[in-house]
Amino acid sequence: MKTVKNQTISYYLNLYSYEDFYLLDDFNAILIRKKNNQCFMVHVRLINQKLYKINEWPTMQFEFSNYQRNLVINQQYFKIFNEIGSCEALYDFQKGTFVIPPKIWDNIAFGLNNSYVKNFGGVLVSFQVESDLLENDVINYFNPLTNQMMQEIFKVTDGTYYAIITLDGKIKNNKIFKGSSFAKITKIIDLKNYDSLLAFKKRCQEVCNLKKENLKNQYQKKVELRNNESISPYLDYEVVEALGLKRNQ
């Protein structure tokens, strides 16, 4: 391990290669580094003039310069954004642990000037539940009227769920909320009635899958009732005949 005389991490980082970096404070930084064609975020800390790796996790490649915002709150927490620009995780760089790990919530919101942290004692998280998308959930068919290949995709979305996650990583009061926005809540769910958040999500997805299969069955019944060569439930050929047009095959 190399040593340096300068006591700030900025000087030390100049001696190493990385794709990009973000300074958390004088002693902590997040690097983006490549390893075996995979990008990683690496939390490094300067301790007694030596740089140590505290934590590491895979990430999609991007540049911190794309995010013209302060990624640190309360001089302790680092906001981690995904490739589509949504904050998906919160990392406590003082402790070297995740407050909110990636891939659990679709988005983490902090409010204007971190108002959620001040008002709610945490951050506002949200996720959506939708049905699985299988190969047979997509149907392609030819429309003779427009001479186009059409596509029907069977998918059911269960809406958006919200919760407040405290800065120690707990769901506040063990409650989640359903609504079109956090200002328009229509349902409150007590997670004590479920084994875990994952169990609740799984149950919601099962319901979505059942609704999706019902939609597919209704679609198939319409096709069967029409009893022609088309797998479309719409009056494509009837419109062609009503207009006296030639059928395009």
Side-chain angles (χ1 to χ4, degrees):
M1 187 76 67
K2 295 182 180 180
T3 61
V4 294
K5 297 179 180 179
N6 195 295
Q7 291 296 317
T8 65
I9 198 171
S10 299
Y11 177 85
Y12 189 92
L13 291 179
N14 291 330
L15 305 178
Y16 281 76
S17 63
Y18 43 78
E19 302 299 312
D20 201 0
F21 74 95
Y22 189 90
L23 290 177
L24 300 169
D25 58 22
D26 286 343
F27 302 97
N28 293 274
I30 300 292
L31 309 181
I32 296 181
R33 304 188 73 175
K34 279 187 176 179
K35 183 169 59 177
N36 298 326
N37 295 321
Q38 170 70 57
C39 284
F40 292 86
M41 281 191 179
V42 184
H43 172 206
V44 292
R45 177 178 295 161
L46 188 64
I47 304 173
N48 295 329
Q49 298 182 0
K50 294 183 180 181
L51 195 64
Y52 293 88
K53 181 173 75 173
I54 305 300
N55 209 334
E56 178 182 271
W57 56 91
T59 185
M60 298 296 291
Q61 184 179 6
F62 71 92
E63 296 179 355
F64 287 118
S65 58
N66 292 336
Y67 295 86
Q68 301 299 324
R69 64 188 92 184
N70 186 5
L71 300 183
V72 173
I73 59 173
N74 292 1
Q75 299 179 333
Q76 183 171 356
Y77 304 100
F78 172 65
K79 305 174 185 178
I80 300 172
F81 286 78
N82 58 27
E83 65 275 13
I84 62 173
S86 296
C87 184
E88 68 166 3
L90 190 64
Y91 180 71
D92 185 335
F93 64 87
Q94 299 294 357
K95 296 180 180 179
T97 58
F98 280 98
V99 175
I100 304 175
K103 311 302 181 184
I104 296 178
W105 307 92
D106 294 338
N107 188 57
I108 303 171
F110 300 85
L112 184 63
N113 297 321
N114 297 319
S115 60
Y116 294 152
V117 177
K118 299 172 185 175
N119 297 335
F120 302 140
V123 295
L124 177 66
V125 296
S126 61
F127 67 89
Q128 286 192 329
V129 177
E130 60 183 29
S131 57
D132 293 315
L133 184 60
L134 307 177
E135 185 176 353
N136 62 2
D137 292 335
V138 180
I139 295 178
N140 297 296
Y141 64 89
F142 178 75
N143 185 308
L145 181 64
T146 62
N147 197 30
Q148 291 177 302
M149 288 301 299
M150 306 296 290
Q151 189 174 79
E152 287 283 335
I153 301 178
F154 296 95
K155 184 174 73 171
V156 173
T157 301
D158 188 37
T160 304
Y161 292 87
Y162 300 87
I164 298 296
I165 302 291
T166 58
L167 294 181
D168 59 358
K170 296 178 181 178
I171 298 177
K172 191 165 188 175
N173 294 338
N174 215 24
K175 299 288 196 306
I176 59 176
F177 311 91
K178 183 179 181 181
S180 58
S181 73
F182 194 54
K184 297 180 179 179
I185 296 301
T186 57
K187 187 176 182 180
I188 300 175
I189 300 97
D190 194 335
L191 285 180
K192 72 179 182 182
N193 298 321
Y194 299 86
D195 291 336
S196 64
L197 174 65
L198 183 61
F200 173 75
K201 283 185 175 182
K202 184 176 180 180
R203 176 55 185 158
C204 290
Q205 189 172 44
E206 289 172 350
V207 172
C208 285
N209 285 334
L210 289 173
K211 291 180 178 179
K212 179 193 69 177
E213 290 303 316
N214 184 49
L215 288 178
K216 289 170 65 177
N217 290 335
Q218 292 178 17
Y219 183 97
Q220 188 59 38
K221 286 179 180 179
K222 289 181 180 179
V223 171
E224 292 172 356
L225 284 173
R226 298 192 61 228
N227 192 29
N228 63 15
E229 67 267 38
S230 174
I231 59 172
S232 165
Y234 306 108
L235 303 179
D236 309 325
Y237 285 100
E238 288 81 350
V239 173
V240 169
E241 292 176 0
L243 295 174
L245 302 173
K246 292 183 178 180
R247 288 191 179 190
N248 295 313
Q249 298 295 339

